[in-house]
Amino acid sequence: MIDWNNLFTENGQGVVYTWAAPIHLTVILGEMIYSHFNKEKLYETKDTITNVYLALLNYGLDILMKAFAMGVMFFFYHYRLFTWEENAWYWIAVFLLQDFVYYVLHLVDHKSRVFWAVHITHHNSELFNISTGFRSSVFEPLYRYMFFSPLAFLGFNPWHIMVVYAIVQVYGTWVHTKTIKNMGILEYILVTPSHHRVHHACNIRYLDKNMGMMLIVWDKLFGTFEKEDPNLPVKYGIYPKAKDRGPINVVFYEWKKLARDLAQPNLSMMDRFRYIFYSPGWRHDGTGKTVKDYQRAELKRRERKRKAAEMAAKNAENEVVKKVS
């Protein structure tokens, strides 16, 4: 049974992950069996090993950072603005605010180059299965606590914040699957496998969409939601693809590209700053394209295609009228 006395203490994350581990393993094995008998080819040995490798690196760094990260969060908690009674409303607030803060963190991971250099490891697989949920952003423990610290400053116990994060993270692992097509009414509330398939897509329309971990409402509120379109099959991975998928390059792929950009001659300090923190794709000479640029161009293309189709239909209708008359 779950040790409820330890769940919301410093041991809480460990309790959650201990209980989640055998469930993860069972679900992954089940998906592998399903894939094998249905010839879905959801898994490849090298890709799965890479997922485990990145998860272990992330977990190791998380352990090394834990004392410092929690120290920072408890510093803010010590000077908290409010002191809350730990009732049902308190836990609802912890859950909602933690999920929202993760949405913000995830949005920054996609919108700022240096954070994308960290997060890209989670997206560079061309497969999508439950083990992809373990394909961690290796260096995220170096800064994740800074996004959670404002919650501590508002008066929420850091151990409570992190155990809720662990629970939500477990859920977030399970939505990495192609085997569940639709979850009915839950599609309007939760991040579902369908929503998260969109998030992992490299199709232009799907880029930087569906950032939530558990609740999809944040994406719908802030304009980052995109529904999976059966007429636009998801293509997984990143563009351009990494030719070297070795254990070093899989972690440092985007860092190497960023270093090359920063090494360009005659860059001003402001341009170096922009290369680090502006959106991926930005270039100082104006030749770069960000996700927004690609999506604007795609939207114009789709609009031209729609108008052309309407014009063709109208012309065809006129031809029919002429023949009849």
Side-chain angles (χ1 to χ4, degrees):
M1 295 179 63
I2 296 177
D3 186 351
W4 296 101
N5 291 326
N6 280 326
L7 185 58
F8 299 111
T9 68
E10 62 185 284
N11 300 316
Q13 279 184 280
V15 173
V16 172
Y17 293 140
T18 298
W19 276 90
I23 299 175
H24 284 326
L25 183 60
T26 301
V27 173
I28 288 171
L29 287 174
E31 190 178 50
M32 285 180 171
I33 293 169
Y34 167 87
S35 175
H36 173 75
F37 283 104
N38 289 277
K39 297 181 172 57
E40 294 280 348
K41 297 182 180 179
L42 299 177
Y43 285 82
E44 289 180 2
T45 301
K46 186 176 180 180
D47 184 81
T48 304
I49 290 172
T50 300
N51 294 341
V52 174
Y53 159 70
L54 291 171
L56 291 174
L57 288 180
N58 175 272
Y59 184 65
L61 183 58
D62 209 7
I63 291 174
L64 291 175
M65 285 294 299
K66 186 172 183 178
F68 179 78
M70 296 308 297
V72 171
M73 291 176 68
F74 269 104
F75 171 82
F76 284 100
Y77 184 64
H78 179 75
Y79 294 101
R80 60 189 177 273
L81 296 177
F82 310 103
T83 299
W84 307 101
E85 180 184 350
E86 292 179 20
N87 53 26
W89 292 110
Y90 170 87
W91 291 108
I92 290 171
V94 174
F95 167 72
L96 291 175
L97 289 172
Q98 193 283 324
D99 198 62
F100 171 68
V101 168
Y102 180 83
Y103 168 84
V104 174
L105 165 60
H106 201 177
L107 192 66
V108 171
D109 280 342
H110 280 254
K111 298 293 188 180
S112 180
R113 178 82 179 277
V114 68
F115 294 101
W116 175 241
V118 175
H119 188 59
I120 197 173
T121 55
H122 185 61
H123 284 265
N124 57 17
S125 173
E126 294 176 27
L127 300 177
F128 190 73
N129 53 62
I130 294 173
S131 77
T132 308
F134 293 96
R135 199 178 186 95
S136 303
S137 305
V138 173
F139 298 117
E140 191 178 274
L142 294 174
Y143 59 86
R144 182 176 57 214
Y145 60 92
M146 291 305 299
F147 285 82
F148 295 158
S149 291
L151 300 186
F153 188 53
L154 289 174
F156 297 100
N157 188 308
W159 295 123
H160 299 166
I161 296 168
M162 295 312 297
V163 75
V164 170
Y165 168 75
I167 293 169
V168 173
Q169 192 177 45
V170 168
Y171 174 84
T173 301
W174 295 341
V175 298
H176 293 81
T177 183
K178 295 164 71 174
T179 59
I180 298 174
K181 304 306 179 185
N182 190 283
M183 292 179 66
I185 194 171
L186 295 178
E187 297 283 334
Y188 296 96
I189 305 166
L190 299 177
V191 173
T192 65
S194 176
H195 299 329
H196 208 62
R197 286 192 290 270
V198 167
H199 177 70
H200 273 260
C202 61
N203 311 64
I204 291 175
R205 193 197 309 179
Y206 291 155
L207 292 174
D208 290 355
K209 301 296 183 180
N210 302 353
M211 301 289 184
M213 173 84 91
M214 190 166 187
L215 298 177
I216 200 62
V217 295
W218 313 120
D219 290 285
K220 293 186 175 184
L221 282 172
F222 298 108
T224 52
F225 175 72
E226 186 72 34
K227 187 176 181 179
E228 186 176 21
D229 185 346
N231 298 314
L232 183 62
V234 171
K235 297 178 182 178
Y236 298 100
I238 58 172
Y239 184 82
K241 298 177 181 179
K243 295 180 180 178
D244 178 3
R245 300 188 183 185
I248 302 300
N249 197 60
V250 75
V251 176
F252 293 101
Y253 170 74
E254 187 67 19
W255 291 104
K256 291 177 181 179
K257 292 173 63 179
L258 177 57
R260 286 195 295 269
D261 285 336
L262 293 174
Q264 295 175 91
N266 303 319
L267 280 183
S268 68
M269 288 301 297
M270 185 54 68
D271 280 342
R272 294 180 194 279
F273 177 88
R274 293 186 179 111
Y275 268 115
I276 292 171
F277 292 106
Y278 273 27
S279 295
W282 180 89
R283 299 199 67 81
H284 71 288
D285 57 7
T287 61
K289 287 187 177 181
T290 66
V291 166
K292 282 188 176 181
D293 293 327
Y294 281 113
Q295 288 178 337
R296 286 193 196 100
E298 170 70 6
L299 193 61
K300 289 179 180 178
R301 185 193 67 78
R302 287 163 54 194
E303 184 63 17
R304 287 196 299 267
K305 186 177 179 180
R306 184 188 65 81
K307 288 182 178 179
E310 288 179 352
M311 183 63 69
K314 188 174 182 179
N315 290 338
E317 183 181 343
N318 290 337
E319 288 296 320
V320 171
V321 171
K322 286 180 181 179
K323 289 180 180 179
V324 171
S325 61

